[in-house]
């Protein structure tokens, strides 16, 4: 397992990050077994959120950490301030409420990495930084980041933090994969585009990719004629993505892997630090991710996969 460093943390962060949006109380044994298996291959980072599974995701993680007695060996990323039926909730009150609830559910005195789940462009970025710094100063949060913010808003926030001597955002978690999204998964979600990638390369800010394997697009179970999965059709079906899949299959055959492993390697072989959130729920899927995370791609191979070059290298 490879690891990266995140500013503000004294623990390394595994570059495979375990997704937990299927952690329910009535499936606790499965979740615990998945975490045990993930930990056994060197994984130590978990992604969760205040809204996942109606709060059960964080509660299951809290129970697991208490039973195993190894909280200090894990890096927990959880998110708050997701909008509700009334609209955006990026405010001091909402952040404090969600954070306190998450701490209780996780049965922990602190959260390693805390991210705002969505943005509200109507709130000045500097104001958000001021709010979050209160929780960093209190010790409730080790480091802060965002999910589904544009790079321009992150830059605005971090410029403010630098000017005021405050803690800025140390990570970003958008959607990012070899398959390019035609439109957002859900309103307000952000997928990393060329400009975002260029900004991450320039700043070297870690990017934690959700839907890093494009929700199974690269499993080769789908074809342009199979339109049974409406969300996959809406978000990922395009001529460009079918060509990316074909090239992933060709490169996989050459290297002795599978297309979905090549897609994972694409995320992890960027010219800036990345983690890939994975949804592996079986030993076979976990083994595939573990093997895929160790594949090295050259810049030429990465560009060829991404259709920016006609030469594999």
């Amino acid at each position: 397992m490879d690891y990266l460093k995140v500013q503000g943390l004294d623990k390394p962060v595994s570059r495979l990050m375990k997704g937990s949006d299927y952690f329910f109380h009535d499936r606790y044994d499965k979740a615990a077994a998945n975490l045990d298996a993930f930990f056994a291959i060197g994984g130590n980072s978990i992604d969760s959120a205040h809204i996942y599974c109606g709060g059960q995701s964080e509660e299951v993680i809290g129970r697991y950490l208490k039973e195993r007695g190894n909280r200090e060996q894990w890096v927990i990323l959880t998110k708050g301030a997701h909008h509700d039926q009334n609209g955006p909730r990026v405010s001091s009150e909402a952040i404090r409420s969600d954070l306190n609830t998450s701490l209780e559910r996780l049965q922990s005195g602190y959260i390693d990495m805390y991210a705002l789940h969505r943005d509200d462009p109507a709130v000045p970025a500097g104001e958000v930084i001021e709010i979050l710094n209160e929780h960093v100063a209190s010790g409730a949060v080790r480091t802060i980041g965002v999910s589904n913010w544009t790079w321009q808003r992150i830059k605005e926030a971090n410029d403010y933090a630098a000017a005021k001597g405050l803690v800025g955002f140390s990570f970003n978690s958008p959607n990012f994969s070899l398959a390019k999204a035609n439109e957002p998964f859900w309103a307000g979600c952000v997928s990393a585009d060329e400009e975002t990638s260029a900004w991450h390369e320039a700043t070297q800010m870690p990017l934690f990719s959700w839907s890093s394997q494009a929700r199974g697009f690269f499993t080769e179970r789908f074809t342009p004629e199979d339109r049974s999965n409406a969300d996959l059709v809406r978000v990922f079906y395009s001529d460009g993505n079918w060509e990316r899949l074909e090239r992933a299959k060709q490169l996989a055959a050459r290297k002795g892997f599978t297309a979905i492993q090549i897609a994972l390697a694409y995320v992890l072989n960027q010219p800036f630090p990345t983690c890939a959130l994975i949804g592996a729920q079986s030993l076979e899927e976990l083994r595939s991710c573990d093997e895929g995370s160790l594949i090295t791609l050259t810049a030429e191979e990465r560009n060829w996969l991404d259709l920016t070059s006609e030469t594999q290298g």
Side-chain angles (χ1 to χ4, degrees):
M1 180 69 67
D2 288 336
Y3 303 85
L4 55 75
K5 170 69 177 174
V6 175
Q7 187 175 355
L9 293 185
D10 57 5
K11 306 175 192 175
V13 179
S14 60
R15 297 190 65 206
L16 291 181
M17 188 173 290
K18 186 73 186 74
S20 65
D21 59 355
Y22 65 96
F23 284 13
F24 291 95
H25 292 303
D26 61 3
R27 302 178 200 167
Y28 175 77
D29 289 345
K30 176 181 179 178
N34 286 175
L35 288 173
D36 284 342
F38 181 63
F39 191 73
I41 65 167
N44 74 338
S45 57
I46 309 175
D47 171 77
S48 189
H50 181 269
I51 66 165
Y52 284 177
C53 308
Q56 293 185 55
S57 170
E58 291 178 327
E59 291 172 347
V60 165
I61 293 169
R63 175 184 169 186
Y64 173 83
L65 296 175
K66 184 177 181 180
E67 289 184 357
R68 297 299 188 271
N70 61 356
R71 169 67 181 93
E72 293 306 312
Q73 295 177 273
W74 286 91
V75 176
I76 308 301
L77 162 61
T78 199
K79 304 178 287 292
H82 195 283
H83 61 252
D84 62 15
Q85 68 275 11
N86 298 315
R89 297 176 59 253
V90 181
S91 67
S92 179
E93 180 182 353
I95 291 169
R96 180 176 291 104
S97 175
D98 286 4
L99 175 57
N100 287 338
T101 300
S102 292
L103 287 166
E104 291 174 7
R105 291 172 178 167
L106 292 165
Q107 302 185 55
S108 178
Y110 70 96
I111 291 167
D112 301 278
M113 299 188 290
Y114 194 71
L116 299 186
H117 209 160
R118 294 292 181 89
D119 190 13
D120 180 2
V123 180
E127 183 177 324
V128 177
I129 287 292
E130 295 278 1
I131 293 168
L132 290 172
N133 267 257
E134 294 178 16
H135 301 294
V136 174
S138 75
V141 172
R142 294 288 191 262
T143 194
I144 55 176
V146 292
S147 183
N148 299 304
W149 280 44
T150 65
W151 71 265
Q152 293 93 336
R153 281 277 285 174
I154 301 171
K155 180 180 184 301
E156 180 186 349
N158 280 2
D159 286 349
Y160 178 93
K164 297 291 185 177
L166 298 172
V167 174
F169 294 132
S170 63
F171 63 92
N172 177 29
S173 185
N175 165 241
F176 179 67
S177 72
L178 176 56
K180 309 309 173 190
N182 302 318
E183 61 181 71
F185 284 90
W186 303 279
C189 285
V190 172
S191 292
D193 56 14
E194 288 185 16
E195 280 192 3
T196 305
S197 295
W199 182 78
H200 274 275
E201 183 174 1
T203 62
Q204 290 297 296
M205 175 184 281
L207 183 152
F208 303 158
S209 166
W210 57 265
S211 287
S212 59
Q213 293 169 296
R215 296 185 167 246
F217 182 81
F218 292 95
T219 59
E220 302 183 52
R221 294 196 303 264
F222 302 98
T223 66
E225 296 73 32
D226 177 3
R227 307 183 73 82
S228 58
N229 188 319
D231 282 334
L232 210 65
V233 171
R234 176 176 61 86
V235 178
F236 287 128
Y237 276 35
S238 70
D239 291 343
N241 284 339
W242 292 120
E243 177 60 23
R244 291 183 179 93
L245 171 58
E246 180 57 35
R247 293 189 180 193
K249 289 161 63 176
Q250 292 178 29
L251 190 57
R254 192 178 106 185
K255 288 180 173 287
F257 292 98
T258 63
I260 197 165
Q261 288 175 316
I262 293 295
L264 180 64
Y266 168 85
V267 171
L268 295 174
N269 278 268
Q270 294 298 313
F272 48 86
T274 55
C275 287
L277 277 60
I278 59 171
Q281 298 185 35
S282 69
L283 288 176
E284 180 182 0
E285 291 174 347
L286 182 61
R287 188 176 302 110
S288 171
C289 290
D290 188 27
E291 293 172 354
S293 73
L294 301 178
I295 298 171
T296 298
L297 298 180
T298 65
E300 291 79 10
E301 289 170 333
R302 191 180 67 243
N303 292 336
W304 181 75
L305 287 169
D306 215 9
L307 310 187
T308 59
S309 169
E310 291 303 317
T311 303
Q312 282 191 49

